[in-house]
Amino acid sequence: MKVRSIPAKALDGAAVGELIRDMWDDEGQRLSSPLLFEDVRHRGTPEEWLPRICETAGIHTVEYIGGNSPRTKVADTVYTSTEYPQRETLSLHQELSYETRAPEVLLFVCVNPPSMGGETPVCDAGELLSGLPDSLTERFAKLGVRYRQHLPADERRPGKTWMAQFQTESRSECEKHLDERSLRYWWEPDGTLRIDRDRKAVRHHPRTGHPLWFNQADQWDIGMSMNQRQLSVFTRMFGPDAAPHSVTYTDGTTIDMGDLRLIKQTAIRLADKPPWERSNVLVVDNRQHMHGRMPFEGDRQILVSMGDFGGGE
């Protein structure tokens, strides 16, 4: 799969939004490949004109409530891209694939490109499903994935607090979000919130019916971002159950680390990795396509909005 590049120097945000909507409709409410609008002409700050693109396209943007990634809200429904350390590679994934419903579309805008690296790799989730061993994909399809979260009540513990994840200081408001998502959760005496989500690992695209790799197992296992020594130190400092997030199959059995590494490596190998330039806009069908982030140097700033066309399905 290749990203479709569209010269956009003569286009303002409204014109880009109209093109996005036309292409989405022409392909039957989907995108066969991500769209990269190059050098979009705009007025004002990116956090002002990104919402205008979404509005013109007919995209109803949503808040990033319940999301696991560390990011900063810069305006209504406009966020920084995932704030992982620069040296790390962010596994390819569909945004909020661990929720009951993921947004249809993502829009990224480049405010400041990195001096080196920092691409947003994108791959086709159907191609990834086909590119992995049948024994692996069949096992994931049969067992599904259990995402586990450990959300502390203050920042002295590792990971996002439950207040940051659900954007509220109210426990009752937090529980409302949890109940709306039909999540299993419990509170510990120190105010820590624990959540379990059981989700399918393979889903079908709602428009085409084609099966897609649709999970973030390789991103949620803490062992994928720590070596054995780092994991040992972390466990001694915070305890064996303090990982902000972890993953198993839905029957509670461990997912093989070798399988997780193979998933991550295969997705990166299949991905297109166009370099970022200032004022470029990347549009991704969040069901068909997976995205990540390559390591980088310099002051990289990418903003993102997410949502549904016409309010979703």
Side-chain angles (χ1 to χ4, degrees):
M1 183 208 73
K2 296 290 290 182
V3 172
R4 180 179 175 184
S5 296
I6 303 168
K9 192 171 184 178
L11 302 178
D12 62 12
V16 169
E18 291 171 1
L19 271 176
I20 293 169
R21 181 75 210 201
D22 289 345
M23 292 176 179
W24 181 266
D25 288 341
D26 288 346
E27 294 202 49
Q29 286 73 58
R30 61 182 290 267
L31 294 175
S32 57
S33 61
L35 308 174
L36 181 65
F37 293 89
E38 299 176 332
D39 195 19
V40 175
R41 181 164 55 87
H42 61 86
R43 295 179 181 176
T45 63
E47 56 265 34
E48 294 170 336
W49 58 271
L50 180 56
R52 287 199 290 271
I53 293 176
C54 295
E55 182 179 5
T56 306
I59 298 168
H60 294 250
T61 54
V62 297
E63 298 279 357
Y64 188 68
I65 295 176
N68 182 54
S69 293
R71 62 177 81 241
T72 301
K73 182 176 180 178
V74 298
D76 286 345
T77 68
V78 179
Y79 298 86
T80 59
S81 60
T82 300
E83 296 170 355
Y84 271 28
Q86 294 184 198
R87 67 182 182 278
E88 292 187 14
T89 299
L90 177 61
S91 298
L92 275 71
H93 61 284
Q94 291 97 341
E95 199 64 55
L96 295 171
S97 66
Y98 45 84
E99 288 282 62
T100 51
R101 189 180 185 283
E104 288 182 329
V105 64
L106 311 176
L107 282 84
F108 299 90
V109 59
C110 180
V111 179
N112 195 60
S115 58
M116 181 178 295
E119 301 91 344
T120 297
V122 284
C123 81
D124 185 284
E127 291 181 11
L128 177 57
L129 180 66
S130 299
L132 293 169
D134 290 345
S135 59
L136 185 156
T137 59
E138 288 168 2
R139 184 164 58 253
F140 270 82
K142 177 183 178 180
L143 296 177
V145 175
R146 175 171 295 166
Y147 302 98
R148 311 199 104 166
Q149 278 189 287
H150 172 236
L151 303 173
D154 61 60
E155 295 180 350
R156 291 175 296 178
R157 305 287 291 178
K160 290 178 78 171
T161 66
W162 61 262
M163 295 82 87
Q165 175 140 335
F166 292 98
Q167 298 181 33
T168 179
E169 299 288 326
S170 165
R171 183 180 287 203
S172 61
E173 184 69 20
C174 177
E175 290 182 348
K176 179 181 176 182
H177 290 303
L178 295 163
D179 293 337
E180 286 173 350
R181 291 163 170 78
S182 301
L183 300 179
R184 297 194 306 277
Y185 65 91
W186 62 98
W187 298 94
E188 296 191 343
D190 65 355
T192 294
L193 172 65
R194 291 189 181 270
I195 304 174
D196 276 0
R197 295 174 170 89
D198 287 355
R199 299 288 183 255
K200 293 181 179 180
V202 176
R203 301 188 197 179
H204 291 78
H205 195 289
R207 306 302 184 195
T208 67
H210 295 157
L212 305 170
W213 187 256
F214 207 96
N215 67 81
Q216 292 175 233
D218 56 319
Q219 188 182 42
W220 275 61
D221 193 302
I222 193 171
M224 291 290 288
S225 58
M226 291 187 184
N227 60 38
Q228 193 58 47
R229 179 180 176 278
Q230 291 170 328
L231 190 58
S232 177
V233 171
F234 179 91
T235 302
R236 287 201 305 271
M237 289 179 63
F238 300 107
D241 298 318
H245 48 78
S246 59
V247 64
T248 65
Y249 291 116
T250 57
D251 63 0
T253 57
T254 300
I255 301 175
D256 182 76
M257 188 64 66
D259 287 344
L260 296 176
R261 293 193 182 101
L262 179 61
I263 293 163
K264 181 175 182 177
Q265 292 164 0
T266 304
I268 291 173
R269 176 175 56 80
L270 292 173
D272 193 10
K273 307 176 185 69
W276 278 114
E277 299 290 345
R278 195 181 310 275
S279 299
N280 282 9
V281 176
L282 177 66
V283 186
V284 175
D285 181 332
N286 191 47
R287 288 84 50 90
Q288 188 69 48
H289 309 131
M290 306 169 71
H291 69 281
R293 195 213 66 193
M294 303 304 293
F296 68 94
E297 296 179 9
D299 184 19
R300 179 186 190 269
Q301 187 179 9
I302 308 294
L303 300 181
V304 62
S305 286
M306 60 195 76
D308 303 312
F309 284 91
E313 300 163 31

